[in-house]
Amino acid sequence: MTDLLKVASRRFALAVTKTQSPATKIQSPPTLSDDIDNPASVKRQLAQLFDVSLKTTVPDEQYVVPLVEACTSKAGVKFGDYQCNNAMGIWSQIKGKQTGFRGPPAIGQAIINNLPSSEMIDSCSVAGPGFVNVVVSKKWIAQGVQRMLMDGIDTWAPRLPVKRAMVDFSSPNIAKEMHVGHLRSTIIGDTLARMLEFSRVEAVIRRNHVGDWGTQFGMLIAYLFEKFPNPEDVSEAAIGDLQAFYKASKVRFDNDAEFKQRAQQAVILLQSGEIKYRKAWQQICDVSRAEFDKVYQRLGVRLEEMGESFYNPYIPGVLEKLDKLGLIEESDGARVIYVEGVNIPIIAVKRDGGYNYFSTDLASLWYRLNKEKLEWIVYVTDVGQQQHFDMLFKAFRRAGWLPRDENAYPKCTHIGFGLVLGEDGKRFRSRSSEVVRLVDLLDEAKRRCKTALLARAKDWTEEEIERTSEAIGYGAVKYADLKINRLTNYTFNFDQMLNDKGNTAVYLLYAHARICSIIRKSGKDIEEIKRNGTIVLDHEDERLLGLHLLQFPEVFEEACINLLPNVLCEYLYNLAEIFTKKFYSNCQVVGSPEETSRLLLCEATAIVMRKCFYILGIEPVYKL
């Protein structure tokens, strides 16, 4: 990328940040756009050209950055593909000066006149108060799509200025069932990790910070010894339902003083490293992990576990460092840390001398920054934990362990998400008000898909039925979550998410399978066509599809900047709509004079859809 484009990219990125709506500023984490290298972005390439023009048009005005946006339809009419919106702002700066301009339209025309020659622009026009509308050359669009087909879609990936990043997600508690909150964290966290991986971060650690330590383990171990006097009898099958095991031990703890005393003693023996108690703790953890893995295997999610217990040895040393820095104070018998803007303190050590979640999180964040040398740590939890992480990060800034500038590296970002609701508008639960097991939830999605497939796919093998019902069922659950802004609540509804019409994974997977069918039906070798064929965009719907494909890099950048998967979902749905309702409806592919070009457009669409599916953690379907 040229130095000129780098400058234009940085300037353009700042402009994007400034023009976000107030709601976006509040809800989104700090942006990275001024640091992202994304030469495939059409917006950034246009920004380069307008940056040159603006310097020529108003050479004496500083801090004028190109304000370039994709055009949207108004009443079904679009005046261009992109729009440069600088004229009015410039007029407000230079009005009254001796510049020769008489208003924003004249400035807009001057911006057009001063644009350097470029193959990417077909035409420009001034509309209203100086808006510069740009029509991108269809030949340039065709060449861009064809280049991607030859070089691969990874050439469209932006590059983040980070080598080592971590996404902390899922994080269930040992001996408790994973619930729909863990489902959201797991699905969103996996997609964010995939986004960072696609953005060429060298090492993306997918951390599962499981709750494998705490006073509740005394209760669980005491109950385990009571039920299984012979440790050899302990197994996943023997323990059975983990949730029932936990509840039974809690009942004994609450109602039996002698059991409670044994449980409290078990905590002390566990924390002191007593072998028998450590082994029992390990057995309980192993049974839980086996249950968690059933969920992760169905979702196709990779995680590296490092639970709360791992950080226990680091807590005293980290607290000592904070104490020496003058951060820790005595308060009502506890040891606390105050942070700016929050009335309540962080309780680092409880009155009884014990540690808590904050103690562990202080130690784990110190370890991640100093031992694992991470530059960006993303925590994915429900929005209810926003204040907890805000206080944690502020404590580290106060200690000088994180930069004062929240955009500087190393940095930490909390990514919150809303609740999963039932159709009654309340927290999603079973009819008996119990937490719904995620394995059962996912299996039900698969079962419903399998029933539908069996009714229509007469000549499929059992393996094809199984694989396709899993891809659609699990993909439907993921997409229903990811397509909405993660900060909002969403209603879990099987009928809606498994509908083959509308903005659902089922519709998108069907659209992809249709494209694959068109290519198969042609009987042509698509790799040979890619080597020897040429894309031509003479029909307006061919051009519309080609431009949307070419906009993938900038849309992905927006999703990555704000860590919002729903932005990518919207792009994917619009791509399927353009292909199905515009291109496929109006442009015959097989047997037409334009067959070669249109097959290449089909292949490019399938490639972009598959990349979107991969980032969203959805397995594509090639046949329906």
Side-chain angles (χ1 to χ4, degrees):
M1 185 167 69
T2 65
D3 290 339
L4 177 61
L5 181 54
K6 286 180 180 176
V7 172
S9 297
R10 284 197 294 272
R11 287 171 170 257
F12 166 66
L14 291 170
V16 172
T17 304
K18 288 176 182 176
T19 57
Q20 288 176 334
S21 68
T24 305
K25 284 185 179 178
I26 293 168
Q27 295 176 347
S28 302
T31 66
L32 292 174
S33 56
D34 53 330
D35 295 323
I36 287 181
D37 179 16
N38 191 9
S41 165
V42 179
K43 270 187 184 181
R44 287 181 180 270
Q45 292 177 72
L46 284 172
Q48 174 191 4
L49 299 175
F50 278 103
D51 191 55
V52 173
S53 173
L54 290 167
K55 284 183 170 66
T56 306
T57 304
V58 282
D60 298 329
E61 297 301 315
Q62 295 183 338
Y63 310 116
V64 177
V65 297
L67 300 175
V68 179
E69 291 293 339
C71 291
T72 55
S73 297
K74 293 182 180 178
V77 178
K78 259 183 28 171
F79 296 99
D81 300 317
Y82 287 85
Q83 194 173 77
C84 177
N85 300 324
N86 284 89
M88 289 180 68
I90 291 172
W91 177 246
S92 67
Q93 288 179 244
I94 66 174
K95 192 176 181 180
K97 298 179 182 178
Q98 299 298 315
T99 61
F101 292 116
R102 295 189 175 182
I107 296 171
Q109 190 59 54
I111 291 171
I112 292 175
N113 295 341
N114 290 322
L115 277 169
S117 176
S118 171
E119 291 182 352
M120 77 179 296
I121 296 179
D122 180 71
S123 64
C124 292
S125 60
V126 178
F131 299 129
V132 177
N133 290 314
V134 179
V135 175
V136 180
S137 159
K138 64 183 180 183
K139 182 179 178 182
W140 187 85
I141 295 170
Q143 290 171 341
V145 175
Q146 190 132 19
R147 221 169 15 250
M148 182 276 288
L149 284 172
M150 295 303 298
D151 300 338
I153 194 169
D154 287 348
T155 58
W156 281 2
R159 184 182 294 278
L160 296 182
V162 175
K163 290 184 177 179
R164 292 181 57 78
M166 174 186 288
V167 183
D168 179 327
F169 66 102
S170 193
S171 307
N173 291 312
I174 294 293
K176 289 187 177 181
E177 291 284 1
M178 290 178 72
H179 54 72
V180 286
H182 295 120
L183 181 67
R184 290 212 78 183
S185 177
T186 305
I187 290 171
I188 295 168
D190 179 55
T191 291
L192 297 182
R194 289 168 185 260
M195 289 167 72
L196 296 181
E197 288 161 355
F198 182 63
S199 300
R200 296 185 274 187
V201 176
E202 290 179 14
V204 179
I205 298 172
R206 298 153 156 269
R207 180 58 49 79
N208 199 4
H209 187 81
V210 298
D212 67 349
W213 202 249
T215 55
Q216 77 273 19
F217 277 95
M219 174 182 82
L220 292 165
I221 290 170
Y223 189 65
L224 186 75
F225 287 161
E226 191 174 88
K227 280 201 75 176
F228 303 100
N230 181 6
E232 301 303 320
D233 294 337
V234 177
S235 68
E236 183 182 357
I239 288 179
D241 188 332
L242 272 173
Q243 193 74 5
F245 186 86
Y246 184 91
K247 285 184 176 180
S249 65
K250 185 74 167 67
V251 169
R252 296 279 284 117
F253 186 85
D254 291 341
N255 297 296
D256 187 325
E258 191 270 332
F259 179 88
K260 185 174 183 178
Q261 189 174 2
R262 275 191 283 129
Q264 291 169 338
Q265 184 64 23
V267 174
I268 296 169
L269 292 168
L270 171 64
Q271 293 179 345
S272 66
E274 184 72 31
I275 293 174
K276 177 183 175 183
Y277 288 80
R278 291 286 292 193
K279 184 178 179 182
W281 168 76
Q282 190 66 56
Q283 286 175 316
I284 293 168
C285 290
D286 288 344
V287 172
S288 278
R289 286 191 191 98
E291 190 68 21
F292 299 158
D293 284 345
K294 292 175 185 176
V295 174
Y296 299 143
Q297 286 168 10
R298 284 162 172 76
L299 293 174
V301 170
R302 293 180 292 106
L303 278 156
E304 172 197 315
E305 182 184 311
M306 194 175 282
E308 293 174 359
S309 61
F310 176 84
Y311 304 103
N312 277 343
Y314 295 94
I315 294 175
V318 171
L319 295 182
E320 184 181 352
K321 290 178 175 65
L322 290 167
D323 196 20
K324 285 181 179 177
L325 289 169
L327 267 70
I328 295 183
E329 305 175 28
E330 297 290 330
S331 176
D332 198 20
R335 303 185 70 202
V336 303
I337 301 170
Y338 285 93
V339 295
E340 184 182 355
V342 186
N343 294 328
I344 57 173
I346 291 171
I347 299 176
V349 184
K350 297 186 292 185
R351 291 178 191 172
D352 62 4
Y355 300 136
N356 58 16
Y357 289 124
F358 257 126
S359 317
T360 304
D361 283 345
L362 289 164
S364 68
L365 182 50
W366 180 89
Y367 182 89
R368 292 168 178 185
L369 291 169
N370 292 279
K371 298 293 186 182
E372 297 186 281
K373 306 295 183 184
L374 293 164
E375 298 162 85
W376 192 16
I377 306 166
V378 179
Y379 293 82
V380 185
T381 74
D382 64 271
V383 290
Q385 297 187 50
Q386 176 70 49
Q387 187 182 62
H388 171 91
F389 287 103
D390 179 58
M391 293 172 72
L392 176 67
F393 304 157
K394 282 179 175 176
F396 267 60
R397 289 191 192 98
R398 190 181 160 202
W401 294 349
L402 282 175
R404 285 284 178 183
D405 179 359
E406 293 182 15
N407 285 318
Y409 298 100
K411 73 175 190 175
C412 299
T413 307
H414 176 252
I415 295 301
F417 55 81
L419 299 173
V420 182
L421 307 177
E423 293 182 53
D424 59 359
K426 299 177 182 177
R427 281 178 181 265
F428 184 72
R429 293 181 180 274
S430 68
R431 288 181 180 176
S432 59
S433 296
E434 294 292 327
V435 171
V436 178
R437 293 178 72 238
L438 293 193
V439 169
D440 295 340
L441 197 73
L442 294 169
D443 286 350
E444 175 63 12
K446 176 188 171 183
R447 185 195 67 77
R448 292 186 181 215
C449 287
K450 188 173 182 178
T451 300
L453 282 173
L454 287 170
R456 59 186 291 178
K458 304 299 182 185
D459 58 343
W460 285 30
T461 65
E462 181 61 29
E463 184 185 351
E464 285 177 322
I465 292 284
E466 283 292 308
R467 191 171 62 246
T468 306
S469 57
E470 286 178 358
I472 298 175
Y474 304 155
V477 173
K478 288 184 178 185
Y479 189 79
D481 190 319
L482 295 169
K483 75 176 182 180
I484 61 164
N485 187 307
R486 55 176 167 72
L487 291 161
T488 61
N489 300 337
Y490 90 97
T491 301
F492 192 97
N493 184 301
F494 274 127
D495 292 335
Q496 288 180 7
M497 64 178 60
L498 295 174
N499 195 329
D500 61 2
K501 295 179 178 62
N503 190 6
T504 67
V506 184
Y507 169 72
L508 297 172
L509 289 167
Y510 278 22
H512 175 262
R514 183 181 295 114
I515 296 169
C516 296
S517 174
I518 294 167
I519 295 171
R520 283 195 303 270
K521 189 183 295 183
S522 75
K524 300 294 172 63
D525 182 343
I526 198 67
E527 293 304 318
E528 184 181 338
I529 292 176
K530 279 157 67 169
R531 287 191 297 271
N532 301 315
T534 303
I535 296 176
V536 179
L537 306 177
D538 285 340
H539 192 286
E540 62 177 341
D541 291 329
E542 292 174 320
R543 184 187 178 282
L544 178 65
L545 178 60
L547 179 61
H548 194 75
L549 289 168
L550 216 57
Q551 290 172 328
F552 171 79
E554 66 201 51
V555 174
F556 176 80
E557 179 185 334
E558 181 189 347
C560 198
I561 286 169
N562 297 302
L563 297 175
L564 288 172
N566 63 291
V567 172
L568 188 62
C569 292
E570 183 181 359
Y571 169 86
L572 175 58
Y573 175 63
N574 289 335
L575 176 59
E577 287 278 273
I578 290 169
F579 182 91
T580 303
K581 297 182 178 178
K582 296 287 188 179
F583 174 78
Y584 184 64
S585 296
N586 301 319
C587 302
Q588 180 187 342
V589 179
V590 179
S592 69
E594 302 85 3
E595 181 181 72
T596 295
S597 173
R598 289 174 179 175
L599 282 172
L600 289 173
L601 280 174
C602 288
E603 176 69 2
T605 303
I607 288 171
V608 173
M609 289 188 80
R610 284 197 288 273
K611 181 55 69 175
C612 291
F613 285 145
Y614 178 80
I615 293 168
L616 299 171
I618 296 170
E619 192 70 29
V621 171
Y622 294 84
K623 166 184 165 182
L624 278 174

